[in-house]
Amino acid sequence: MLGFFRRRRRARLFGAPFPAEWTAILERNVSLYRRLTPESRTELHGHIQVLLAEKQFEAAGGLELTDEIRVTIAAHAAALLLGRPARYYPGLYSIIVYPSTYRAPVTEHHEGGIVSESEEDRLGESWAEGALVIAWDSARHGARIPGDGDNVILHEFAHQLDTEDGEADGVPRLDSHTDYVAWARAMRPEFERLRDRPETSALDEYGATDAAEFFAVATEAYFERPKELRARHPKLYAELRRFYRVELADE
């Protein structure tokens, strides 16, 4: 019964009129919005309205939350759902936004049972359950500049997709065993190429950190530099195209 009411509520939100001032924010701040078809734009609007209704945005570090911040972030989260059955990031409840780079605690475990604690600068992070953190100045810059392959919002929401099955392993929730096999065949060689011969890859070297970061970096490239990704990594591009179901390379 709860699922029925949730679906009905989402359908109502999805079909509600989209405010003109929000469209202006998308046109100003979300470079990929300009490359979407009219049908995809309408779908994006619907997803944005559901996400804004269901996810809690929290300001940190003295930031004042505005519609510009909320709509810009929600738009990128929505872009990753286009054309697919939308689950709306079921493990995510709170989106925490800092005005700029923030300091986060880091705990490291060393040999001999030694544990060290420190802090490091971050632009964003995604937790497997509960929260996602974004530095707004970097998010806005990456959202407005097309083609640089650097978009912290896409990156962190890709991590959310990755961990829907409970594992941060660079493999999002797929439909079948065949899909998982195809995913591995497309991703593994490109991950190894980036790790072993980064100068030959179009992807950011940060993607060589591990499989989870590779998927997030590849997602950024798919939406930010689709033509280059398709030209230089056709099998990787094709697999991401099958998953994301929105074509930007031809726009």
Side-chain angles (χ1 to χ4, degrees):
M1 184 62 71
L2 179 62
F4 169 77
F5 286 114
R6 178 180 294 167
R7 288 192 298 272
R8 189 167 70 176
R9 179 173 178 270
R10 285 177 172 175
R12 184 175 67 253
L13 289 165
F14 190 93
F18 196 75
E21 57 269 27
W22 290 6
T23 300
I25 291 170
L26 298 180
E27 292 174 342
R28 180 173 66 250
N29 276 6
V30 184
S31 61
L32 65 85
Y33 181 73
R34 305 165 203 145
R35 292 179 281 141
L36 296 176
T37 64
E39 294 78 14
S40 290
R41 289 187 180 191
T42 298
E43 183 183 355
L44 188 85
H45 294 168
H47 289 327
I48 289 171
Q49 300 201 95
V50 174
L51 288 165
L52 290 179
E54 294 191 355
K55 308 305 179 184
Q56 179 178 350
F57 282 74
E58 299 181 41
L63 179 75
E64 180 181 350
L65 277 176
T66 63
D67 279 354
E68 178 185 18
I69 294 171
R70 296 168 67 249
V71 171
T72 300
I73 293 174
H76 288 83
L80 302 188
L81 305 178
L82 290 173
R84 305 191 296 115
R87 289 170 47 78
Y88 295 110
Y89 307 98
L92 177 65
Y93 305 100
S94 178
I95 299 167
I96 303 167
V97 190
Y98 282 84
S100 59
T101 304
Y102 61 94
R103 301 282 289 173
V106 178
T107 300
E108 295 181 289
H109 297 269
H110 308 279
E111 293 183 5
I114 298 174
V115 178
S116 64
E117 296 184 352
S118 61
E119 289 188 337
E120 67 179 15
D121 292 338
R122 291 185 181 175
L123 302 178
E125 59 190 292
S126 175
W127 304 345
E129 287 291 336
L132 180 149
V133 188
I134 292 288
W136 171 238
D137 60 352
S138 296
R140 179 174 55 189
H141 178 79
R144 286 180 171 180
I145 306 301
D148 65 354
D150 184 10
N151 190 306
V152 67
I153 314 176
L154 292 174
H155 187 103
E156 300 306 336
F157 275 96
H159 281 315
Q160 284 290 313
L161 293 178
D162 182 9
T163 55
E164 275 191 19
D165 60 359
E167 298 289 338
D169 56 3
V171 184
R173 182 173 175 169
L174 302 175
D175 294 332
S176 67
H177 173 72
T178 301
D179 290 335
Y180 283 103
V181 172
W183 185 270
R185 287 176 176 170
M187 297 290 166
R188 186 177 297 124
E190 294 294 354
F191 172 65
E192 293 174 353
R193 172 183 173 182
L194 181 61
R195 183 191 60 196
D196 300 335
R197 295 172 289 122
E199 71 281 358
T200 70
S201 177
L203 301 176
D204 189 290
E205 286 189 48
Y206 187 64
T209 303
D210 55 38
E213 295 300 345
F214 179 80
F215 171 54
V217 164
T219 295
E220 290 180 87
Y222 181 81
F223 284 92
E224 289 260 312
R225 300 203 311 261
K227 292 182 179 179
E228 181 182 3
L229 188 68
R230 185 173 65 179
R232 299 183 60 182
H233 305 274
K235 292 182 180 179
L236 173 61
Y237 179 88
E239 192 60 28
L240 289 170
R241 171 67 180 82
R242 282 207 317 142
F243 178 68
Y244 283 120
R245 304 184 191 180
V246 58
E247 177 66 76
L248 296 175
D250 292 333
E251 297 302 321

